[in-house]
Amino acid sequence: KKIEAILLENKEHILVPAEKVAHVQVNNRLDHALLVLTKVGYSVIPVLDKDYCIKGLLSLSMITDAILGLEKIDYEKLSEIEVSEVMNTDFPIVENPYDLEEILHLLVDYSFICVASDEGSFTGIVPRKQMMKGLNRLAHE
Amino acid sequence: KKIEAILLENKEHILVPAEKVAHVQVNNRLDHALLVLTKVGYSVIPVLDKDYCIKGLLSLSMITDAILGLEKIDYEKLSEIEVSEVMNTDFPIVENPYDLEEILHLLVDYSFICVASDEGSFTGIVPRKQMMKGLNRLAHE
Ligand SMILES: Nc1ncnc2c1ncn2[C@@H]1O[C@@H]2COP(=O)(O)O[C@H]3[C@@H](O)[C@H](n4cnc5c(N)ncnc54)O[C@@H]3COP(=O)(O)O[C@H]2[C@H]1O
Ligand SMILES: Nc1ncnc2c1ncn2[C@@H]1O[C@@H]2COP(=O)(O)O[C@H]3[C@@H](O)[C@H](n4cnc5c(N)ncnc54)O[C@@H]3COP(=O)(O)O[C@H]2[C@H]1O
């Protein structure tokens, strides 16, 4: 189909490889994760374990939600809470090689999709941006 | 064109009207804004002035960036800083009635676009989600 051809035109750009994706570890503390998320500027980033498997997604609001539950913002408490205690674990992971139609379908509800190898190790993410570029090209044909 | 027709099929769903868009005011303090952003769960929200004009965009990382600059996280300081001091003011605003091709082009780099009337008052936002739905429909034809 014309659509798939346009989107796949830049298939090699669709996947952001794991080494280019900002991430944190499951056992990092929230004071460290707050710093990373603030500095990288991405709203949501993957959480990996020591075997490089995807375990969760983390956003700043998951951290501030944990802080706001305390009496008053107690920065010291942040160094006692692990990322694994606040991260989101309910999200899709697709296996490499991924199917474009499946990715398109999932990207309706998520701003990016995590991709893993058949053994579970993190391969990269497919963000919406590349699809928006394809759509932009389609509309201007 | 087929693309425009598909995307415009749901033109009435493309714009999220202003009354459904979470926002804060320019003179709100950061402790209030932190609470709103944490509770609504959106990563970026518009900032309006008292005349309902769009003045900026705010994310949690803009707030945590301001806090991390302090000696230690000082929650009291948050009630002294105004939203207008940390918000992003460099972003596109399109005028209603908007041109779909222009919106598609801007949505490559932004997860949503703010729409205003010709007098500048906030009309709503066009998020990427609706475009992803259109693309999904196109791919399944
Ligand atoms: N440093 C930067 N340089 C250029 N453009 C930037 C940027 N930060 C954000 N953007 C733009 O804003 C969109 C939304 O970013 P957000 O951080 O909310 O949401 C991002 C973020 O949560 C995640 N993401 C993307 N690239 C990432 C990376 N290298 N590492 C970790 N997470 C990433 O995927 C989501 C969707 O990304 P997508 O590219 O579709 O869409 C991005 C991109 O178009
Ligand atoms: N409460 C919720 N219910 C259902 N799905 C949810 C959701 N919160 C987030 N999502 C999903 O996650 C995507 C990214 O949301 P995010 O908050 O990073 O980025 C959002 C947010 O910054 C802003 N946004 C969308 N709707 C908003 C609203 N009603 N008020 C304020 N900002 C909104 O536009 C960006 C793109 O939104 P988009 O809908 O394309 O894409 C959304 C949507 O597909």
Side-chain angles (χ1 to χ4, degrees), chain B residues 26 34 40 43 53 58 68 71 90-91 97 106 114 120 123 129:
Chain B
V26 275
L34 183 79
V40 297
S43 12
C53 289
L58 187 73
L68 289 168
E71 267 306 287
D90 175 23
F91 61 97
L106 293 170
C114 292
T123 315
K129 181 173 188 163

Side-chain angles (χ1 to χ4, degrees), chain A residues 20-22 42-44 111-112 125 127-129, chain B residues 108-109 128:
Chain A
K20 287 203 182 137
V21 178
Y42 290 116
S43 0
V44 179
S111 57
F112 69 93
I125 63 168
R128 279 177 172 171
K129 182 174 185 163
Chain B
V108 169
D109 290 313
R128 278 178 173 170

Side-chain angles (χ1 to χ4, degrees), chain A residues 1 38-39 64 101 139-140, chain B residues 1 38 64-65 101 139-140:
Chain A
K1 272 186 235 135
T38 304
K39 290 305 167 215
T64 53
E101 275 198 28
H140 285 97
Chain B
K1 272 188 231 130
T38 303
T64 53
D65 208 20
E101 274 198 30
H140 286 95

Side-chain angles (χ1 to χ4, degrees), chain B residues 77-133:
Chain B
K77 280 261 189 2
L78 286 183
S79 55
E80 294 165 15
I81 306 173
E82 281 193 5
V83 163
S84 59
E85 294 172 54
V86 304
M87 71 188 183
N88 166 23
T89 54
D90 175 23
F91 61 97
I93 300 174
V94 295
E95 209 177 278
N96 210 19
Y98 53 86
D99 163 32
L100 191 65
E101 274 198 30
E102 183 188 6
I103 291 267
L104 276 180
H105 180 67
L106 293 170
L107 284 174
V108 169
D109 290 313
Y110 295 89
S111 56
F112 68 93
I113 303 297
C114 292
V115 179
S117 73
D118 51 6
E119 294 127 29
S121 100
F122 186 45
T123 315
I125 63 168
V126 177
R128 278 178 173 170
K129 181 173 188 163
Q130 294 305 335
M131 301 305 164
M132 295 309 300
K133 276 190 183 167

Side-chain angles (χ1 to χ4, degrees), chain A residues 1 3-4 7 34-35 37-39 41 43 60-61 64-65 68 72-73 75-76 78 101 104-105 107-109 111 128-129 131-133 135-136 138-141, chain B residues 1 3-4 7 34-35 37-39 41 43 60-61 64-65 68 72-73 75-76 78 101 104-105 107-109 111 128-129 131-133 135-136 138-141:
Chain A
K1 272 186 235 135
I3 312 280
E4 303 247 344
L7 291 173
L34 184 78
L35 206 60
L37 274 163
T38 304
K39 290 305 167 215
S43 0
L60 273 171
S61 65
T64 53
D65 209 20
L68 289 168
K72 58 179 262 316
I73 284 204
Y75 195 50
E76 279 67 41
L78 286 181
E101 275 198 28
L104 275 181
H105 181 67
L107 283 175
V108 170
D109 289 313
S111 57
R128 279 177 172 171
K129 182 174 185 163
M131 301 305 164
M132 295 310 298
K133 275 189 184 167
L135 191 55
N136 207 30
L138 278 170
H140 285 97
E141 298 242 308
Chain B
K1 272 188 231 130
I3 313 279
E4 304 247 340
L7 291 174
L34 183 79
L35 206 60
L37 274 163
T38 303
K39 290 303 167 218
S43 12
L60 273 170
S61 65
T64 53
D65 208 20
L68 289 168
K72 56 178 264 311
I73 283 205
Y75 196 48
E76 279 67 40
L78 286 183
E101 274 198 30
L104 276 180
H105 180 67
L107 284 174
V108 169
D109 290 313
S111 56
R128 278 178 173 170
K129 181 173 188 163
M131 301 305 164
M132 295 309 300
K133 276 190 183 167
L135 190 56
N136 208 31
L138 278 170
H140 286 95
E141 298 241 312

Side-chain angles (χ1 to χ4, degrees), chain A:
Chain A
K1 272 186 235 135
K2 199 173 125 68
I3 312 280
E4 303 247 344
I6 292 258
L7 291 173
L8 286 170
E9 225 170 61
N10 61 354
K11 176 139 182 160
E12 65 289 351
H13 299 307
I14 287 181
L15 184 81
V16 178
E19 57 275 14
K20 287 203 182 137
V21 178
H23 69 272
V24 286
Q25 300 281 328
V26 275
N27 55 1
N28 285 156
R29 304 304 154 114
L30 289 193
D31 54 351
H32 170 74
L34 184 78
L35 206 60
V36 170
L37 274 163
T38 304
K39 290 305 167 215
V40 296
Y42 290 116
S43 0
V44 179
I45 61 174
V47 180
L48 308 181
D49 67 12
K50 62 182 186 328
D51 303 320
Y52 219 60
C53 289
I54 308 163
K55 288 297 182 208
L57 297 179
L58 188 73
S59 68
L60 273 171
S61 65
M62 293 169 202
I63 298 176
T64 53
D65 209 20
I67 313 177
L68 289 168
L70 307 171
E71 265 308 287
K72 58 179 262 316
I73 284 204
D74 189 346
Y75 195 50
E76 279 67 41
K77 281 261 190 355
L78 286 181
S79 56
E80 294 165 14
I81 307 173
E82 281 193 6
V83 163
S84 58
E85 293 171 53
V86 304
M87 70 188 182
N88 166 22
T89 54
D90 175 22
F91 61 97
I93 299 173
V94 294
E95 209 178 279
N96 212 19
Y98 54 88
D99 163 28
L100 190 65
E101 275 198 28
E102 183 188 5
I103 291 268
L104 275 181
H105 181 67
L106 293 170
L107 283 175
V108 170
D109 289 313
Y110 295 89
S111 57
F112 69 93
I113 305 296
C114 291
V115 179
S117 73
D118 51 9
E119 294 128 28
S121 99
F122 186 46
T123 313
I125 63 168
V126 177
R128 279 177 172 171
K129 182 174 185 163
Q130 292 305 335
M131 301 305 164
M132 295 310 298
K133 275 189 184 167
L135 191 55
N136 207 30
R137 248 201 314 279
L138 278 170
H140 285 97
E141 298 242 308

